[in-house]
Amino acid sequence: MFGVNVSPFLLTATIKHHIEKYRDQYPAATEMLDTCLYVDDVIRGADDISQVLKISKDVDTIMENASMKLRKWNSNDQTLMKTWEYEGL
């Protein structure tokens, strides 16, 4: 499917489907995917590492259930980066 000019639409529609499917279970994660997703990147900031860790795990779960693997997690906080690496994100 990729390489066809409708691919971005199909990807967005698939992600939106999974956002709605998990909105009640993971409200912060689905809000982030719904409002902070740009093409294939999510750009988001937060004040608390534990909040970021929870949301990132929830987002990973949602996307894994959609058979999509998230990659390239990045932060300016080295503790968070090491935690993501330890958690397999």
Side-chain angles (χ1 to χ4, degrees), residues 18-86:
H18 287 281
I19 288 170
E20 292 307 317
K21 189 173 164 182
Y22 292 101
R23 193 169 296 278
D24 293 335
Q25 188 174 1
Y26 305 113
T30 54
E31 185 271 331
M32 184 181 85
L33 285 172
D34 202 19
T35 61
C36 301
L37 189 65
Y38 177 74
V39 185
D40 62 351
D41 291 325
V42 175
I43 303 166
R44 171 86 187 255
D47 295 323
D48 183 71
I49 291 175
S50 62
Q51 176 188 18
V52 172
L53 188 57
K54 167 129 178 50
I55 290 172
S56 61
K57 286 180 177 180
D58 292 347
V59 165
D60 191 59
T61 298
I62 292 167
M63 298 304 284
E64 189 175 289
N65 289 337
S67 297
M68 297 181 192
K69 176 72 174 152
L70 293 177
R71 303 176 296 145
K72 301 186 291 185
W73 292 93
N74 199 1
S75 174
N76 62 346
D77 186 289
Q78 291 305 310
T79 303
L80 181 58
M81 292 291 291
K82 288 178 182 176
T83 304
W84 277 335
E85 185 178 346
Y86 178 78

